[in-house]
Amino acid sequence: MDRTAQLTALRTAPDIAYDPPPDAASAHVRAARVLADNWTGGSTVPARSLYPHQWSWDSAFIAIGLRHVSPLRAQTELETLLGAQWADGRIPHIVFNPSVPLDAYFPSPDFWRSSTAGRAAGAPRTVQTSGIVQPPVHALAAWLVHRADPGLSRARGFLTRVYPRLAAWHRYLLHRRDLGGGGLASVVHPWEQGMDNSPAWDAPLARVTPAAARTFRRADLDHGSPEDRPTDLDYGRYVRLAADYRDGGYADRGGAFAVEDPAFNALLIASEQALARIARELGATGSARQARAERLTAALIERTWDPARGIFLCRDVRGGGLIPERCVSGLIPLLLPTLPRDIADRLVRTAHGPHFGLGGTTRLAPSYDLLGEAFDPHRYWRGPAWFNTGWLLERGLRVHGENERAGALRAALLELAVASGFAEYVDPYTGAACGATGFGWTAALTLDLLHDDTPPAGDAAVAEAGDIEEFKGVKGGDRG
């Protein structure tokens, strides 16, 4: 019997505070094995073939699940990522493994040239990274990881060490990325928001001249069908935006693309709330951070809430105005406990209505409007359902007292994660697997759902604990 299976069999061990119910043991073991297989020695890759490096928001979600198997490894996951932070505070969206061949993933380190092009912004000299960022889930992850084993966390000084880095990360977003002047953080590339190929980007991207196809080679098509991936035209625009940002020294003003995204900012607010809790754990009051979270929530509503459509929309900072596309991003603010009741109720109706069909026509919430012209149930972020957005929505439903709906979503997430082989994403109607299988955050969030039957209403975003003894026998070498 391998070590993971041994641990899940030790149901009477006095040091195990959380353990899955007996009928979930198989799912627990299978999910834990995915994380073991994807572990490199210092971090976890999203998927061995398609994504062979460390990704920023992937690692945050992975740490949230990994805390149930190994709190120490979950801390290490975040510490490795934060070790690649730039001096200006940004956490890069990719930390590259130097042992991986350059042609295994594009854009590769020789495209980003972080140590040279990013010198003025304080890119690290000893590790290669990308120059853009991803959604700020990290402080929320750090707090949950701490709660998994507070004794270990305090003994290692985990929060003491990560708090200044997380505070610098938030300062960067709140000051350097307030490109619209309304208090919200802007993304300067579709890859930063994490929902790379969303139809919400079509209008802003139309202003971007694509890079010539001969100037880059798409490694993603080696592992996925072209019908499921972004088009060559869109990819050319992604490359042009990234190259222009790099050639401008990764300065944050003046780029052709700047969008205020509701999910990105909702996660920033949730992480500000988590930083307030971390500050209190370290002996400060945390009141300034809590007040900032409340101001950001007000700004999010003022700048991105569309009462007519019943959803939060992206704001095009360069083009002006809201982008009239209903995307799952606009449902994610349901995560926020201080969201006004009428807005929360409307979001719940929108999620379960004809545009997303949650719990009715769809198994999981699609990434894009079922009735939208660009909807495609298989194409990357233009319709398929993703497990991280489902996890966020499940928590949001519980935060606002929608426990029955949250329970139904939780059951669907667990069923489809296991049935799909922990797929990267799935067809929202059928649950058929799409993209990579053995995907890191799908497995990690499955573990979290198995261990989290009833998070406390009104505080589910940040207050919970869990601890299972560390599992052994992972494979892979140290990551640079």
Side-chain angles (χ1 to χ4, degrees):
M1 180 183 291
D2 65 70
R3 181 58 172 158
T4 304
Q6 289 175 349
L7 288 171
T8 56
L10 294 177
R11 302 196 174 277
T12 59
D15 59 340
I16 296 179
Y18 275 73
D19 209 12
D23 61 354
S26 176
H28 172 87
V29 171
R30 291 175 62 184
R33 281 176 177 156
V34 169
L35 297 183
D37 288 343
N38 291 358
W39 177 255
T40 67
S43 64
T44 309
V45 300
R48 282 284 180 182
S49 58
L50 184 54
Y51 305 105
H53 303 286
Q54 183 180 24
W55 261 258
S56 172
W57 77 325
D58 290 74
S59 277
F61 286 122
I62 286 167
I64 288 170
L66 192 57
R67 68 194 170 116
H68 298 297
V69 180
S70 169
L72 175 60
R73 200 154 289 156
Q75 292 177 29
T76 302
E77 184 80 38
L78 296 173
E79 290 165 345
T80 300
L81 178 67
L82 291 171
Q85 187 173 24
W86 291 26
D88 65 2
R90 82 182 75 193
I91 298 174
H93 100 295
I94 301 175
V95 181
F96 289 105
N97 183 341
S99 69
V100 173
L102 288 178
D103 63 358
Y105 184 83
F106 179 85
S108 53
D110 57 345
F111 173 89
W112 295 105
R113 305 171 204 159
S114 61
S115 59
T116 54
R119 186 173 297 159
R125 301 290 184 88
T126 58
V127 62
Q128 294 296 310
T129 76
S130 65
I132 60 175
V133 302
Q134 277 191 320
V137 197
H138 311 89
L140 173 58
W143 175 247
L144 295 177
V145 167
H146 164 77
R147 290 292 301 271
D149 190 337
L152 175 67
S153 175
R154 291 169 187 142
R156 296 187 69 244
F158 172 65
L159 292 182
T160 302
R161 286 181 288 108
V162 301
Y163 179 83
R165 291 183 175 273
L166 295 170
W169 167 223
H170 286 209
R171 281 196 302 273
Y172 168 79
L173 292 174
L174 292 167
H175 298 291
R176 300 283 294 276
R177 288 299 190 88
D178 182 10
L179 304 182
L184 298 182
S186 292
V187 296
V188 299
H189 195 290
W191 290 339
E192 292 198 314
Q193 192 265 359
M195 305 176 192
D196 308 1
N197 196 36
S198 169
W201 315 138
D202 290 354
L205 280 176
R207 300 191 295 266
V208 178
T209 302
R214 66 180 181 277
T215 62
F216 60 92
R217 177 187 172 276
R218 295 182 59 178
D220 64 316
L221 297 182
D222 295 340
H223 306 281
S225 168
E227 289 75 24
D228 292 348
R229 305 294 297 177
T231 66
D232 286 342
L233 178 61
D234 284 334
Y235 214 92
R237 287 173 169 145
Y238 302 155
V239 172
R240 170 70 68 188
L241 276 176
D244 287 350
Y245 191 44
R246 175 201 65 202
D247 295 343
Y250 295 111
D252 288 314
R253 296 188 179 273
F257 185 98
V259 175
E260 294 171 353
D261 173 76
F264 192 100
N265 281 281
L267 290 169
L268 176 58
I269 294 165
S271 280
E272 270 293 303
Q273 293 167 339
L275 269 188
R277 288 177 174 270
I278 293 172
R280 289 197 290 272
E281 167 69 20
L282 297 177
T285 65
S287 57
R289 295 203 173 277
Q290 192 60 46
R292 184 178 296 117
E294 293 171 6
R295 291 195 300 271
L296 285 168
T297 302
L300 182 69
I301 294 168
E302 179 183 354
R303 295 183 65 80
T304 67
W305 173 244
D306 186 329
R309 291 181 172 85
I311 196 168
F312 288 86
L313 300 177
C314 294
R315 177 175 289 276
D316 184 356
V317 173
R318 298 290 180 240
L322 297 176
I323 300 170
E325 298 285 2
R326 293 178 177 89
C327 302
V328 71
S329 168
L331 301 176
I332 301 304
L334 191 63
L335 180 72
L336 304 176
T338 58
L339 203 64
R341 185 74 232 179
D342 60 328
I343 294 179
D345 290 344
R346 187 67 190 281
L347 282 178
V348 171
R349 293 198 300 272
T350 299
H352 293 82
H355 293 284
F356 293 92
L358 184 59
T361 57
T362 62
R363 306 291 306 281
L364 303 178
S367 48
Y368 176 62
D369 186 353
L370 297 172
L371 305 180
E373 292 183 6
F375 176 79
D376 183 329
H378 291 165
R379 193 177 287 277
Y380 208 62
W381 288 110
R382 300 178 86 85
W386 294 69
F387 289 91
N388 65 330
T389 55
W391 181 85
L392 291 167
L393 288 175
E394 193 269 351
R395 298 178 74 80
L397 288 168
R398 291 194 188 278
V399 163
H400 294 284
E402 297 284 347
N403 292 328
E404 184 175 348
R405 283 174 162 149
L409 177 54
R410 175 181 178 271
L413 285 163
L414 290 172
E415 177 190 345
L416 294 179
V418 174
S420 69
F422 303 100
E424 184 179 0
Y425 51 101
V426 296
D427 182 309
Y429 292 120
T430 67
C434 301
T437 54
F439 198 72
W441 76 31
T442 304
L445 298 177
T446 296
L447 284 172
D448 195 62
L449 289 168
L450 287 170
H451 288 83
D452 186 18
D453 289 322
T454 53
D459 204 18
V462 289
E464 59 182 51
D467 179 26
I468 287 186
E469 184 180 329
E470 182 177 356
F471 68 101
K472 311 293 184 183
V474 298
K475 55 187 179 182
D478 288 343
R479 191 202 58 70

